[in-house]
Amino acid sequence: MEFLSFSNPAGLVALPILGCFILFFIPGHRANLVRWISTTIAFLVLIISFYFFLSFDHFEGGRQFIYEYEWLSLIGPWGESQRAISMSVGIDGIAVTMILLTGIVMFTGTVVSWNINVSNKDFFILYFLLLSGVFGVFITYDLFFFFFFYELSVLPMYLLIGKWGSSSKFSSFERTKEYSAMKLTLVLVAGSVLIWVAIIAMFVQSGTGSFHIDEIQKVIPDKFSSEFQSAFFLMLMIGFGILAGLWPFHTWSPDGHVAAPTAVSMVHAGVLMKLGAFGIIRVGMTLLPEGAQVWMPLLIGLGAVNVIYGALSAMGQTDLKYVIGYSSVSHMGYVLMGLGTLSLVGLNGAVLQMFSHGVMTALFFAVVGMIYERTRTRDSLVLSGLAQKMGIIAVLFTLAGLTSLGLPGLSGFAAELLIFIGIFQSYEIWGIILGSLAVIGAAITAVYILRLLAKVFFGLADETLPEYLDSTPREKFAASILVIFIVLVGLWPFPFVKIIESGVEPILLQIVGAG
Amino acid sequence: MNFHLIYPEFLLIGLAFLVLMLDFFLSEKKKYLLNWVSTLGMAFILGIALFMNQQGDLYQGLLIIDGYASFFRIFFLAIGIVVTLISRDYVDSNISNPGEYYAILIFTILASISLASSGELLTAYVSLEILSFGLYVLVAYDRYNPASNEGGVKFILLGAFSSALILYGLSQTYGLIGTTRFNEIAVLLNSMENISIGMVVGFVLILAGIAFKLAAIPFHMWAPDAYEGAPIPITAWLSVCSKVAIVALAIRFFTNGIFPLAPDWQPILIVLAVLTMIGGNLLALVQKNMKRLLAYSSIGHAGYLLMGLATLVGVSDEGIVSKELTHLVSNGLIFHMVAYGATNFAIFFCLIIVYNSTGREDIQGLSGLASRQPLVALVMVCSLFSLAGMPVFAGFTSKFYLFNAVASQGFLLLVGVGIIASLISLYYYLTVARYLYIEKISDNSMIYVSFNSKLILIALLMFMILGGVYPSPLMDLIQTATDSILKID
């Protein structure tokens, strides 16, 4: 039974789905049983994603763990095409990094969600459904299934935010969770409208009768003219860019992150936004290399706007979650800029930044969730001097903050450094301008993070606040996993970069070859 | 004569009369047995139909029993069983004279089957009239309810009007061509040098009639009122059976009959499709009543079907008609109808369950359903997502398949419009989902779900999911069905 083998990536999709099935048959009132089963499933997924990361051979590179199953045939003038729609899975260097990230965030998110009391069974079912979609996107090499899983990872979001989320009150208006959930879902699905059209267009134009990326890739020089490529790359770039938080389509993201419950914010900012960037690489750059060359200057420019705009907006926020939401927009800007460099260093940096930001922002949201549970507020004007009462939580937030502003020795520095080098290398004058903007963005990040640290954590303790408990062992356990990876990537990024490079290189070679 | 080909149809007529007869002899308390008789009778006929694989023509090609007809025979019997099952509780508690109800329902099934197997326009017209008359009665069945009466009257008047259009177009065609058989029409059209305007008018009138029956915008006026007024199981039946039957006829008529005229009718259908997709979904946004909302949603879905019908054959820039991709498109159409049918029955069944216990059919009445009846809410939310075209449900896969087929025919822009229309639809489906899962309970009345109902709900849910993740067995069936009408000659 080869499909039951441990090294079949489809297991990453199947296991969370299996979890959904098991949970479905457990009575809803047995909340603790639900928690334990969910944690076990998430732990197994974590183990498997570790297994893939460790056994990925970066000397060999390319795509590994390949499995393929026929799914549906399409009748047409192209004859009996063998791979019309196939469940075709495999893992390359980029995907394996993302899979590790997803495994980590999924597990820590599950552990953090132990405190959910309102129908936690439904919560975990939707949460696992979401994550199986995320894993599916990373492992599949068939455009139909790519889109299938892409939509699957957006779909449960509405109910997750709408049911377990929280509304936020501003002085003059209230932003309800229903509003944020609806906005997020509609905007993301609007993005996938563009992706859907582009995928169908590529299928039709290729004339191969197959949705398999390899089959379409074979006919790129013959069938995809430059005009076609540039038109549809733009479509894909915006479609995926919406999920990656590309300015000016980013507005769903802070609202969505703020309204979502902690674990969902972690997954959403940590993993889901990366799907957008991943899609640009996997579908856009791979299948439309000339289009990529045409539009990359725009992407890098918009990325720079993202960085600065996100950082400035974060500076103006008082709600802790909004600060982090906007900082995610800003950090995704680095990823987009890294993609836009079209150089090995820059792309390595972009993917490493995807990993680094994923872990970091998961830690951020986890910590903010802990604070909110204890104080029932996220307003940085109210909170003050938390370090005295919640020492460990303060340390965790500081660590995440320092990663975010790019302190050497932590993961953010390694990734951002690579991206900066890539930008300066790839473009001459514009490289200097955009590179400087990116560095300025990091400086602004330092401003708002340090200001927050100074006031909220190390300011004068507000004596009127009640005594708060510090983090529980469960929370420490979850956070420490994230911290380990932040420090590991910061101190020793070499193995990560090697693995990422093995995935990035062939894609880049193709783009350079096409020009 | 080879009457053995239509034994199932004869048996269906027999079953309808048996139900009518039994109604005389059963006391009021025993009337619930009529449901069992209809269900088991249809299951028996379905069993026979499953094992019948002879093919041939009857009455010199008026009725064609081929793979396509057999597929739809099985399909209509299957959904007929589903609709009888979901009618049970509703009829028992809301409707007097169940005998006629079930008998007329069986007649409409018969009419749908013969619509899918007719190879000639007049047979199609007669079948269509049997179907329509059955539906007129069923829509107005709840005769003490003014809404039902209003919907029924509108439906009859406009339905009769559209039938007249079809009949007029038909006579025009017959007068100018001299035949009503699909394949002869095709041969004659192919051999003609130039097509007279009268002939085009005839076909356009037939198209308009079809658009009426499909409730395509701007011919949709009857639909929302008829849907709202009809008893809920009949609304479900109306939204699935009549549409599928018409499209089944249209696929055969277009691909075997008037395809040489495609350059003339294709643009009309494309315009209708765009109007219907966008209009139906936009109008659904403001609805407060679930039945009305689903009426507009099914108008939107008729738009997707029209899009498929419009692109059944390809027309090159020089006006040359090609049937290269007809197979793919018709597979897509049938797949989408099957998925849509199962999904619609699921959602209407949920509505029936809620209505039976609470008497409410507005969206507000569904609030907090997830905590009142988790299974019903689950099935409902899954069908909503399936209608919106979200994975892992059948609606996603079928929509993807259909849109992909239409785009392969060269209509990427039209597909773009379709995808945007389905984005619009997501808003109101999500709004209903919000009432189910997020809003607080507004109405504390108990919702009772019998064990049988649970089984049906689960079966429909399984079908929706299987159609989405493992469609290849279904596609193989559809493939054999379309093979028989699209023989390469």
Side-chain angles (χ1 to χ4, degrees), chain B residues 241-285:
Chain B
C241 157
S242 68
K243 286 203 163 100
V244 175
I246 290 283
V247 173
L249 168 75
I251 292 177
R252 201 195 276 271
F253 180 48
F254 289 0
T255 58
N256 288 357
I258 57 167
F259 65 89
L261 275 184
D264 293 310
W265 53 258
Q266 194 167 52
I268 303 176
L269 283 184
I270 289 177
V271 171
L272 280 181
V274 169
L275 284 177
T276 312
M277 287 188 291
I278 297 285
N281 285 319
L282 279 180
L283 288 168
L285 289 177

Tab-separated table of all heavy atoms in Angstrom, chain B residues 241-285:
chain	number	residue	atom	x	y	z
B	241	CYS	N	-35.973	19.551	-10.877
B	241	CYS	CA	-36.473	18.682	-11.937
B	241	CYS	C	-36.755	19.439	-13.217
B	241	CYS	O	-36.310	19.064	-14.297
B	241	CYS	CB	-37.717	17.986	-11.449
B	241	CYS	SG	-38.755	17.439	-12.756
B	242	SER	N	-37.495	20.573	-13.124
B	242	SER	CA	-37.880	21.233	-14.361
B	242	SER	C	-36.648	21.746	-15.086
B	242	SER	O	-36.557	21.670	-16.299
B	242	SER	CB	-38.863	22.356	-14.071
B	242	SER	OG	-38.225	23.384	-13.378
B	243	LYS	N	-35.673	22.255	-14.313
B	243	LYS	CA	-34.465	22.775	-14.963
B	243	LYS	C	-33.692	21.673	-15.647
B	243	LYS	O	-33.269	21.793	-16.795
B	243	LYS	CB	-33.575	23.454	-13.934
B	243	LYS	CG	-34.133	24.758	-13.518
B	243	LYS	CD	-33.091	25.684	-12.966
B	243	LYS	CE	-33.680	27.059	-12.992
B	243	LYS	NZ	-34.189	27.557	-11.788
B	244	VAL	N	-33.488	20.579	-14.912
B	244	VAL	CA	-32.678	19.499	-15.463
B	244	VAL	C	-33.347	18.935	-16.706
B	244	VAL	O	-32.698	18.670	-17.721
B	244	VAL	CB	-32.453	18.407	-14.409
B	244	VAL	CG1	-31.719	17.230	-15.022
B	244	VAL	CG2	-31.682	18.951	-13.243
B	245	ALA	N	-34.680	18.779	-16.647
B	245	ALA	CA	-35.385	18.187	-17.794
B	245	ALA	C	-35.228	19.072	-19.022
B	245	ALA	O	-34.960	18.583	-20.121
B	245	ALA	CB	-36.856	18.003	-17.452
B	246	ILE	N	-35.400	20.386	-18.830
B	246	ILE	CA	-35.271	21.301	-19.956
B	246	ILE	C	-33.857	21.267	-20.528
B	246	ILE	O	-33.655	21.210	-21.740
B	246	ILE	CB	-35.600	22.738	-19.496
B	246	ILE	CG1	-37.089	22.871	-19.196
B	246	ILE	CG2	-35.177	23.736	-20.524
B	246	ILE	CD1	-37.915	22.989	-20.424
B	247	VAL	N	-32.877	21.270	-19.629
B	247	VAL	CA	-31.498	21.287	-20.120
B	247	VAL	C	-31.183	19.966	-20.818
B	247	VAL	O	-30.503	19.944	-21.848
B	247	VAL	CB	-30.513	21.575	-18.969
B	247	VAL	CG1	-29.092	21.414	-19.444
B	247	VAL	CG2	-30.722	22.968	-18.445
B	248	ALA	N	-31.714	18.872	-20.287
B	248	ALA	CA	-31.472	17.583	-20.927
B	248	ALA	C	-32.022	17.595	-22.348
B	248	ALA	O	-31.384	17.107	-23.283
B	248	ALA	CB	-32.125	16.466	-20.117
B	249	LEU	N	-33.210	18.168	-22.499
B	249	LEU	CA	-33.778	18.287	-23.842
B	249	LEU	C	-32.915	19.195	-24.706
B	249	LEU	O	-32.592	18.865	-25.849
B	249	LEU	CB	-35.201	18.855	-23.767
B	249	LEU	CG	-35.771	19.288	-25.114
B	249	LEU	CD1	-36.156	18.090	-25.928
B	249	LEU	CD2	-36.936	20.221	-24.936
B	250	ALA	N	-32.510	20.331	-24.101
B	250	ALA	CA	-31.787	21.332	-24.888
B	250	ALA	C	-30.455	20.776	-25.380
B	250	ALA	O	-30.060	21.039	-26.516
B	250	ALA	CB	-31.569	22.590	-24.054
B	251	ILE	N	-29.794	19.990	-24.537
B	251	ILE	CA	-28.501	19.449	-24.977
B	251	ILE	C	-28.709	18.599	-26.229
B	251	ILE	O	-28.001	18.729	-27.225
B	251	ILE	CB	-27.850	18.608	-23.866
B	251	ILE	CG1	-27.436	19.492	-22.690
B	251	ILE	CG2	-26.621	17.880	-24.386
B	251	ILE	CD1	-26.869	18.726	-21.537
B	252	ARG	N	-29.732	17.752	-26.189
B	252	ARG	CA	-29.968	16.889	-27.346
B	252	ARG	C	-30.387	17.708	-28.567
B	252	ARG	O	-29.890	17.505	-29.671
B	252	ARG	CB	-31.059	15.868	-27.007
B	252	ARG	CG	-31.026	14.659	-27.913
B	252	ARG	CD	-32.294	13.874	-27.788
B	252	ARG	NE	-32.317	12.943	-26.680
B	252	ARG	CZ	-31.879	11.689	-26.768
B	252	ARG	NH1	-31.349	11.249	-27.875
B	252	ARG	NH2	-31.978	10.888	-25.733
B	253	PHE	N	-31.274	18.664	-28.329
B	253	PHE	CA	-31.796	19.482	-29.422
B	253	PHE	C	-30.676	20.312	-30.056
B	253	PHE	O	-30.545	20.383	-31.269
B	253	PHE	CB	-32.908	20.376	-28.875
B	253	PHE	CG	-33.550	21.277	-29.880
B	253	PHE	CD1	-33.959	20.784	-31.102
B	253	PHE	CD2	-33.761	22.615	-29.596
B	253	PHE	CE1	-34.562	21.614	-32.037
B	253	PHE	CE2	-34.358	23.449	-30.519
B	253	PHE	CZ	-34.768	22.945	-31.744
B	254	PHE	N	-29.836	20.918	-29.228
B	254	PHE	CA	-28.790	21.786	-29.761
B	254	PHE	C	-27.710	20.987	-30.466
B	254	PHE	O	-27.263	21.364	-31.535
B	254	PHE	CB	-28.156	22.620	-28.638
B	254	PHE	CG	-29.049	23.689	-28.098
B	254	PHE	CD1	-30.322	23.876	-28.597
B	254	PHE	CD2	-28.607	24.535	-27.092
B	254	PHE	CE1	-31.152	24.863	-28.098
B	254	PHE	CE2	-29.425	25.525	-26.591
B	254	PHE	CZ	-30.698	25.681	-27.084
B	255	THR	N	-27.271	19.878	-29.845
B	255	THR	CA	-26.121	19.180	-30.427
B	255	THR	C	-26.536	18.289	-31.584
B	255	THR	O	-25.730	17.996	-32.447
B	255	THR	CB	-25.408	18.327	-29.382
B	255	THR	OG1	-26.351	17.397	-28.855
B	255	THR	CG2	-24.829	19.159	-28.285
B	256	ASN	N	-27.787	17.806	-31.605
B	256	ASN	CA	-28.204	16.952	-32.713
B	256	ASN	C	-29.054	17.696	-33.720
B	256	ASN	O	-29.175	17.251	-34.848
B	256	ASN	CB	-29.011	15.751	-32.199
B	256	ASN	CG	-28.134	14.761	-31.494
B	256	ASN	OD1	-26.919	14.938	-31.444
B	256	ASN	ND2	-28.727	13.722	-30.949
B	257	GLY	N	-29.683	18.786	-33.310
B	257	GLY	CA	-30.619	19.451	-34.200
B	257	GLY	C	-30.097	20.729	-34.796
B	257	GLY	O	-29.694	20.783	-35.957
B	258	ILE	N	-30.082	21.787	-33.997
B	258	ILE	CA	-29.873	23.103	-34.612
B	258	ILE	C	-28.437	23.590	-34.500
B	258	ILE	O	-28.177	24.780	-34.619
B	258	ILE	CB	-30.833	24.152	-34.001
B	258	ILE	CG1	-30.645	24.238	-32.496
B	258	ILE	CG2	-32.259	23.846	-34.350
B	258	ILE	CD1	-31.326	25.447	-31.903
B	259	PHE	N	-27.483	22.644	-34.311
B	259	PHE	CA	-26.101	23.136	-34.192
B	259	PHE	C	-25.601	23.878	-35.440
B	259	PHE	O	-24.788	24.783	-35.321
B	259	PHE	CB	-25.149	22.016	-33.776
B	259	PHE	CG	-24.990	20.926	-34.770
B	259	PHE	CD1	-24.014	21.011	-35.752
B	259	PHE	CD2	-25.800	19.803	-34.734
B	259	PHE	CE1	-23.868	20.008	-36.673
B	259	PHE	CE2	-25.657	18.802	-35.661
B	259	PHE	CZ	-24.694	18.911	-36.648
B	260	PRO	N	-26.095	23.546	-36.668
B	260	PRO	CA	-25.577	24.321	-37.806
B	260	PRO	C	-25.912	25.800	-37.713
B	260	PRO	O	-25.237	26.627	-38.315
B	260	PRO	CB	-26.270	23.691	-39.013
B	260	PRO	CG	-26.657	22.334	-38.565
B	260	PRO	CD	-26.985	22.460	-37.127
B	261	LEU	N	-26.944	26.126	-36.943
B	261	LEU	CA	-27.328	27.531	-36.816
B	261	LEU	C	-26.610	28.239	-35.670
B	261	LEU	O	-26.951	29.364	-35.338
B	261	LEU	CB	-28.839	27.640	-36.583
B	261	LEU	CG	-29.742	27.642	-37.801
B	261	LEU	CD1	-31.169	27.865	-37.357
B	261	LEU	CD2	-29.328	28.742	-38.750
B	262	ALA	N	-25.629	27.555	-35.071
B	262	ALA	CA	-24.991	28.082	-33.861
B	262	ALA	C	-24.579	29.541	-33.961
B	262	ALA	O	-24.768	30.298	-33.009
B	262	ALA	CB	-23.811	27.215	-33.467
B	263	PRO	N	-24.018	30.006	-35.095
B	263	PRO	CA	-23.633	31.422	-35.132
B	263	PRO	C	-24.807	32.348	-34.848
B	263	PRO	O	-24.603	33.469	-34.396
B	263	PRO	CB	-23.136	31.606	-36.574
B	263	PRO	CG	-22.734	30.254	-37.010
B	263	PRO	CD	-23.626	29.289	-36.310
B	264	ASP	N	-26.035	31.883	-35.104
B	264	ASP	CA	-27.183	32.736	-34.829
B	264	ASP	C	-27.659	32.658	-33.385
B	264	ASP	O	-27.974	33.671	-32.780
B	264	ASP	CB	-28.357	32.361	-35.762
B	264	ASP	CG	-28.040	32.680	-37.205
B	264	ASP	OD1	-27.620	33.822	-37.441
B	264	ASP	OD2	-28.149	31.784	-38.051
B	265	TRP	N	-27.731	31.454	-32.827
B	265	TRP	CA	-28.296	31.389	-31.475
B	265	TRP	C	-27.275	31.551	-30.369
B	265	TRP	O	-27.611	31.883	-29.233
B	265	TRP	CB	-29.142	30.135	-31.252
B	265	TRP	CG	-28.537	28.785	-31.569
B	265	TRP	CD1	-28.774	28.043	-32.675
B	265	TRP	CD2	-27.665	27.995	-30.757
B	265	TRP	NE1	-28.093	26.854	-32.620
B	265	TRP	CE2	-27.410	26.804	-31.455
B	265	TRP	CE3	-27.059	28.189	-29.509
B	265	TRP	CZ2	-26.586	25.796	-30.961
B	265	TRP	CZ3	-26.235	27.190	-29.015
B	265	TRP	CH2	-25.999	26.013	-29.741
B	266	GLN	N	-26.025	31.310	-30.686
B	266	GLN	CA	-25.029	31.409	-29.613
B	266	GLN	C	-24.996	32.791	-28.931
B	266	GLN	O	-25.045	32.860	-27.696
B	266	GLN	CB	-23.661	31.043	-30.161
B	266	GLN	CG	-22.655	30.784	-29.073
B	266	GLN	CD	-21.413	30.123	-29.626
B	266	GLN	OE1	-20.822	30.600	-30.567
B	266	GLN	NE2	-21.032	29.019	-29.027
B	267	PRO	N	-24.948	33.886	-29.707
B	267	PRO	CA	-24.891	35.193	-29.030
B	267	PRO	C	-26.109	35.455	-28.143
B	267	PRO	O	-25.977	36.025	-27.059
B	267	PRO	CB	-24.867	36.191	-30.195
B	267	PRO	CG	-24.455	35.417	-31.374
B	267	PRO	CD	-24.893	34.020	-31.163
B	268	ILE	N	-27.292	34.995	-28.590
B	268	ILE	CA	-28.502	35.226	-27.781
B	268	ILE	C	-28.354	34.542	-26.432
B	268	ILE	O	-28.591	35.140	-25.379
B	268	ILE	CB	-29.741	34.645	-28.501
B	268	ILE	CG1	-29.870	35.264	-29.888
B	268	ILE	CG2	-30.986	34.873	-27.676
B	268	ILE	CD1	-31.010	34.684	-30.685
B	269	LEU	N	-27.926	33.280	-26.493
B	269	LEU	CA	-27.813	32.544	-25.235
B	269	LEU	C	-26.729	33.134	-24.344
B	269	LEU	O	-26.864	33.137	-23.122
B	269	LEU	CB	-27.512	31.070	-25.510
B	269	LEU	CG	-28.702	30.239	-25.974
B	269	LEU	CD1	-28.302	28.796	-26.123
B	269	LEU	CD2	-29.833	30.347	-24.970
B	270	ILE	N	-25.667	33.632	-24.951
B	270	ILE	CA	-24.600	34.209	-24.123
B	270	ILE	C	-25.127	35.428	-23.373
B	270	ILE	O	-24.901	35.584	-22.171
B	270	ILE	CB	-23.379	34.564	-24.985
B	270	ILE	CG1	-22.697	33.269	-25.423
B	270	ILE	CG2	-22.406	35.438	-24.230
B	270	ILE	CD1	-21.526	33.459	-26.324
B	271	VAL	N	-25.876	36.274	-24.093
B	271	VAL	CA	-26.436	37.460	-23.434
B	271	VAL	C	-27.366	37.032	-22.300
B	271	VAL	O	-27.290	37.537	-21.170
B	271	VAL	CB	-27.188	38.343	-24.455
B	271	VAL	CG1	-27.939	39.442	-23.750
B	271	VAL	CG2	-26.214	38.918	-25.460
B	272	LEU	N	-28.237	36.050	-22.606
B	272	LEU	CA	-29.144	35.562	-21.563
B	272	LEU	C	-28.356	35.032	-20.367
B	272	LEU	O	-28.695	35.292	-19.209
B	272	LEU	CB	-30.002	34.417	-22.117
B	272	LEU	CG	-31.206	34.791	-22.958
B	272	LEU	CD1	-31.928	33.549	-23.396
B	272	LEU	CD2	-32.133	35.664	-22.139
B	273	ALA	N	-27.289	34.284	-20.670
B	273	ALA	CA	-26.513	33.688	-19.585
B	273	ALA	C	-25.915	34.763	-18.697
B	273	ALA	O	-25.999	34.689	-17.464
B	273	ALA	CB	-25.414	32.796	-20.156
B	274	VAL	N	-25.330	35.781	-19.317
B	274	VAL	CA	-24.689	36.838	-18.523
B	274	VAL	C	-25.732	37.537	-17.660
B	274	VAL	O	-25.548	37.717	-16.445
B	274	VAL	CB	-23.970	37.836	-19.451
B	274	VAL	CG1	-23.535	39.058	-18.681
B	274	VAL	CG2	-22.788	37.176	-20.105
B	275	LEU	N	-26.877	37.899	-18.295
B	275	LEU	CA	-27.927	38.584	-17.531
B	275	LEU	C	-28.388	37.717	-16.363
B	275	LEU	O	-28.570	38.189	-15.238
B	275	LEU	CB	-29.121	38.875	-18.439
B	275	LEU	CG	-28.988	40.027	-19.414
B	275	LEU	CD1	-30.226	40.127	-20.263
B	275	LEU	CD2	-28.786	41.318	-18.628
B	276	THR	N	-28.578	36.432	-16.638
B	276	THR	CA	-29.141	35.553	-15.623
B	276	THR	C	-28.174	35.336	-14.465
B	276	THR	O	-28.566	35.399	-13.298
B	276	THR	CB	-29.515	34.208	-16.260
B	276	THR	OG1	-30.232	34.455	-17.444
B	276	THR	CG2	-30.332	33.384	-15.331
B	277	MET	N	-26.914	35.092	-14.810
B	277	MET	CA	-25.934	34.859	-13.736
B	277	MET	C	-25.821	36.069	-12.822
B	277	MET	O	-25.920	35.971	-11.604
B	277	MET	CB	-24.556	34.604	-14.340
B	277	MET	CG	-24.401	33.276	-14.985
B	277	MET	SD	-22.707	32.980	-15.469
B	277	MET	CE	-22.455	34.116	-16.784
B	278	ILE	N	-25.588	37.218	-13.458
B	278	ILE	CA	-25.347	38.420	-12.667
B	278	ILE	C	-26.645	38.850	-11.967
B	278	ILE	O	-26.687	39.082	-10.758
B	278	ILE	CB	-24.818	39.559	-13.565
B	278	ILE	CG1	-23.475	39.159	-14.170
B	278	ILE	CG2	-24.705	40.845	-12.795
B	278	ILE	CD1	-22.328	39.221	-13.224
B	279	GLY	N	-27.736	38.924	-12.767
B	279	GLY	CA	-28.993	39.404	-12.210
B	279	GLY	C	-29.508	38.521	-11.094
B	279	GLY	O	-29.885	39.002	-10.022
B	280	GLY	N	-29.540	37.222	-11.328
B	280	GLY	CA	-30.062	36.308	-10.309
B	280	GLY	C	-29.316	36.452	-9.002
B	280	GLY	O	-29.912	36.572	-7.926
B	281	ASN	N	-27.999	36.498	-9.090
B	281	ASN	CA	-27.224	36.577	-7.862
B	281	ASN	C	-27.336	37.933	-7.190
B	281	ASN	O	-27.342	38.023	-5.961
B	281	ASN	CB	-25.770	36.213	-8.139
B	281	ASN	CG	-25.608	34.722	-8.337
B	281	ASN	OD1	-26.214	33.932	-7.623
B	281	ASN	ND2	-24.821	34.328	-9.307
B	282	LEU	N	-27.437	38.992	-8.000
B	282	LEU	CA	-27.591	40.315	-7.386
B	282	LEU	C	-28.934	40.431	-6.669
B	282	LEU	O	-29.016	40.951	-5.555
B	282	LEU	CB	-27.484	41.406	-8.442
B	282	LEU	CG	-26.078	41.811	-8.872
B	282	LEU	CD1	-26.150	42.901	-9.920
B	282	LEU	CD2	-25.273	42.295	-7.682
B	283	LEU	N	-29.991	39.924	-7.325
B	283	LEU	CA	-31.309	40.035	-6.709
B	283	LEU	C	-31.403	39.196	-5.441
B	283	LEU	O	-32.146	39.521	-4.521
B	283	LEU	CB	-32.381	39.603	-7.709
B	283	LEU	CG	-32.613	40.598	-8.842
B	283	LEU	CD1	-33.463	39.992	-9.924
B	283	LEU	CD2	-33.263	41.850	-8.292
B	284	ALA	N	-30.647	38.123	-5.398
B	284	ALA	CA	-30.692	37.276	-4.207
B	284	ALA	C	-30.134	37.988	-2.987
B	284	ALA	O	-30.456	37.648	-1.851
B	284	ALA	CB	-29.909	35.991	-4.457
B	285	LEU	N	-29.288	38.999	-3.219
B	285	LEU	CA	-28.611	39.651	-2.100
B	285	LEU	C	-29.585	40.260	-1.104
B	285	LEU	O	-29.284	40.361	0.080
B	285	LEU	CB	-27.694	40.761	-2.622
B	285	LEU	CG	-26.451	40.317	-3.371
B	285	LEU	CD1	-25.693	41.517	-3.890
B	285	LEU	CD2	-25.551	39.511	-2.455
